[in-house]
Amino acid sequence: MTTTRRPGQPVHIVLDWDGTLTVKDTMALLGGLPRARDLRLYNQRLHRPESEPPSHLRGEAEVNSIVDLTPPASVNLWDGFVAAYMEDYRAHKALHYPVTPKESPREERASPDQYSRWLESLKVVEYASAERVTRSRFFRGVRTEDVANVARDALDSGALQLREDWNCLFEMSVSQAGDQQAPLISKISIISVNWSECFIRWSLYLAAERLTNISPASKAALLGRIDNMKISSNEIHGLDSPQGSSGKLTGNVRTAREKAERLPEFSNQSEAAAAKQQHREAAFVVYVGDSGTDYECFRGADLPIWISDQGEEENRRVRRFEAVFRPLNTGNESGGFKSCHLKEWAELTDRGDGDWCAWADDLKEVADWLKSVS
């Protein structure tokens, strides 16, 4: 669904996390949580008074001596999860790929319906992976502070990098001091298949604290927005428990369709009904993503925007767009999932020439475009 925005229509921005707000995928960073837990428990032991509390007042992780898990052991476990996932994926693809593989992958052309069914078929692979990690109790005893420490260390080392100017859209969603007008972006939210909403929020919060190019008042408003914004994702159960996590992975945002099922609360269909009841105008929904798991959200948004690599040469960008959504038909013929530059999107959409997915080099380009059409 692609429609042009009416003058003055409020804007809802919905963002993907991995690869969209961040430079690269961050899931591997969660593999460091057991080590962060062990370091925390080790430091607690060093500073424990001689009259230590009874075991029922101590964390489950410590009582069960899982602090002995060494870094190589946790790394090996995580690598095993990744290997098992890839093996499951290859086996599944061999049986369920929607088109006959061609010698040249660019010749593979699946219809939108075929591609959607393929993406949804991957549900069995995603849930098997989550169940495998749950059974291992890999995250047992992990607490929120461990998640924050992993995010902080990753920002320090550069293992976690947010895209340049990542905060520009967030700042457009908060009222500025002395500004009597409503923010250009009326709502900003995140939908992600990442395993931890807590990790996403802490990563954003800690990154915002480090910003030096905004005023203290603007930073406080930004931190408040991050603290209260809607993030639809999965979670590691029990992070806030004194005993730490049970090790169970919870949530059901693991496929493209499940992501899109979180979109209706922002999309025009449900938004229009709520707006009519409240005598206000429905919002214009912009979804920004970077991968195949964003496809169903792209289809459900008023304006889908695919983030390309900054400064990427045109032919290379086209090839990467094809590769990201393979085997979906991304040609310009009828039925293709066609891409155009963000500046061309409104004109092409108004012409009724099929559905178009806009592309932008980065998030600042999205912000600048929104300002230019408002």
Side-chain angles (χ1 to χ4, degrees):
M1 175 179 67
T2 53
T3 57
T4 53
R5 177 175 175 257
R6 296 182 296 276
Q9 186 178 9
V11 176
H12 285 183
I13 295 285
V14 186
L15 297 160
D16 171 54
W17 167 248
D18 286 300
T20 299
L21 276 166
T22 66
V23 173
K24 59 184 179 181
D25 193 275
T26 65
M27 281 283 284
L29 297 176
L30 301 182
L33 288 174
R35 177 59 175 164
R37 171 205 62 204
D38 293 347
L39 288 173
R40 169 176 54 81
L41 294 176
Y42 176 74
N43 288 329
Q44 287 178 359
R45 282 183 172 179
L46 286 181
H47 299 93
R48 178 179 299 152
E50 292 184 7
S51 55
E52 67 176 30
S55 62
H56 73 276
L57 295 180
R58 287 151 50 201
E60 177 188 356
E62 187 175 1
V63 172
N64 288 282
S65 300
I66 61 174
V67 294
D68 294 330
L69 185 65
T70 61
S74 61
V75 169
N76 290 340
L77 271 175
W78 187 263
D79 288 346
F81 298 147
V82 174
Y85 176 89
M86 293 308 301
E87 183 177 346
D88 285 352
Y89 177 84
R90 285 190 292 267
H92 182 84
K93 182 179 179 180
L95 295 174
H96 299 282
Y97 201 57
V99 295
T100 303
K102 305 287 186 181
E103 184 174 341
S104 172
R106 297 185 69 180
E107 297 177 5
E108 299 170 359
R109 289 289 186 267
S111 69
D113 286 345
Q114 286 177 314
Y115 187 62
S116 290
R117 288 195 295 271
W118 159 245
L119 291 175
E120 183 58 16
S121 77
L122 293 171
K123 182 175 183 177
V124 64
V125 177
E126 299 298 337
Y127 277 84
S129 179
E131 178 60 26
R132 184 180 297 116
V133 175
T134 291
R135 288 198 309 269
S136 75
R137 304 182 80 181
F138 182 78
F139 293 117
R140 182 164 59 105
V142 169
R143 292 171 50 169
T144 299
E145 60 198 278
D146 303 322
V147 177
N149 285 333
V150 165
R152 183 179 293 107
D153 290 346
L155 286 168
D156 288 342
S157 68
L160 169 59
Q161 297 180 47
L162 272 67
R163 285 187 180 268
E164 187 176 1
D165 297 316
W166 66 268
N167 54 303
C168 57
L169 291 170
F170 286 81
E171 291 177 25
M172 290 168 62
S173 71
V174 296
S175 298
Q176 302 299 317
D179 192 345
Q180 301 301 314
Q181 292 185 328
L184 176 57
I185 296 175
S186 59
K187 190 170 187 177
I188 188 165
S189 305
I190 291 173
I191 304 177
S192 172
V193 297
N194 193 282
W195 282 356
S196 177
E197 174 194 329
C198 179
F199 175 77
I200 295 173
R201 197 180 302 274
W202 267 107
S203 297
L204 287 169
Y205 196 92
L206 293 169
E209 283 189 326
R210 298 170 183 226
L211 293 173
T212 58
N213 58 345
I214 61 175
S215 68
S218 295
K219 181 180 290 189
L222 175 60
L223 291 171
R225 170 66 74 200
I226 292 170
D227 197 36
N228 294 295
M229 73 181 297
K230 175 72 173 178
I231 300 178
S232 297
S233 188
N234 305 291
E235 194 53 277
I236 301 167
H237 174 263
L239 291 174
D240 290 333
S241 167
Q243 291 78 31
S245 172
S246 64
K248 182 179 181 180
L249 293 179
T250 62
N252 54 357
V253 190
R254 305 190 188 279
T255 68
R257 181 173 296 176
E258 288 176 343
K259 288 189 74 170
E261 287 171 353
R262 301 307 182 277
L263 191 63
E265 66 181 293
F266 309 106
S267 71
N268 271 356
Q269 186 174 2
S270 60
E271 176 70 17
K276 184 177 180 180
Q277 186 176 16
Q278 299 170 21
H279 305 288
R280 60 177 175 80
E281 186 173 22
F284 182 78
V285 181
V286 180
Y287 183 85
V288 187
D290 74 301
S291 71
T293 56
D294 298 306
Y295 175 68
E296 300 295 354
C297 287
F298 283 152
R299 295 180 74 184
D302 293 318
L303 168 55
I305 302 177
W306 176 68
I307 294 296
S308 174
D309 284 338
Q310 189 170 2
E312 197 164 45
E313 183 265 331
E314 174 68 11
N315 288 335
R316 184 181 173 190
R317 181 196 58 75
V318 170
R319 290 194 298 271
R320 197 166 77 84
F321 186 81
E322 292 176 346
V324 165
F325 296 101
R326 187 168 294 144
L328 178 65
N329 176 9
T330 56
N332 286 328
E333 63 269 23
S334 177
F337 185 57
K338 298 172 285 190
S339 65
C340 64
H341 190 271
L342 183 55
K343 293 179 180 178
E344 303 170 329
W345 175 83
E347 179 183 351
L348 291 169
T349 301
D350 286 340
R351 282 181 5 202
D353 186 21
D355 287 336
W356 290 87
C357 180
W359 64 267
D361 279 332
D362 51 36
L363 297 174
K364 186 176 185 302
E365 187 171 8
V366 176
D368 290 343
W369 181 84
L370 283 171
K371 293 174 184 176
S372 72
V373 298
S374 299

